[in-house]
Amino acid sequence: TIHPGDIIVMDGDGAVVVLASRIGETLAGCRARESKEVTTKAEIARGKLTYDMLGLRGLVEGKPAAG
């Protein structure tokens, strides 16, 4: 149920309703994710592999992530 004060966010993938009582924490989470994505893109631009960034080398090959 959508109530006055709730926010509806839509994009090409779907829609979500953010309860008015959770707008602050949701916005904080969005900002943290955006910051992480900026950092991730910068690391990729410097040549780091997502395979290592996500720790997959250790899981798949049993080796520590490359620096």
Side-chain angles (χ1 to χ4, degrees):
T1 304
I2 301 170
H3 299 283
D6 292 348
I7 295 177
I8 302 169
V9 181
M10 296 183 282
D11 66 10
D13 293 323
V16 64
V17 176
V18 180
L19 302 176
S21 62
R22 300 192 65 190
I23 291 172
E25 71 181 279
T26 302
L27 183 57
C30 291
R31 288 180 173 150
R33 180 173 182 132
E34 180 181 24
S35 176
K36 182 178 178 181
E37 288 179 359
V38 168
T39 300
T40 299
K41 287 178 184 179
E43 290 177 350
I44 291 169
R46 287 193 300 274
K48 195 163 185 183
L49 301 175
T50 55
Y51 186 66
D52 291 320
M53 293 168 55
L54 298 173
L56 296 176
R57 187 174 307 279
L59 291 172
V60 174
E61 301 175 20
K63 299 177 184 176

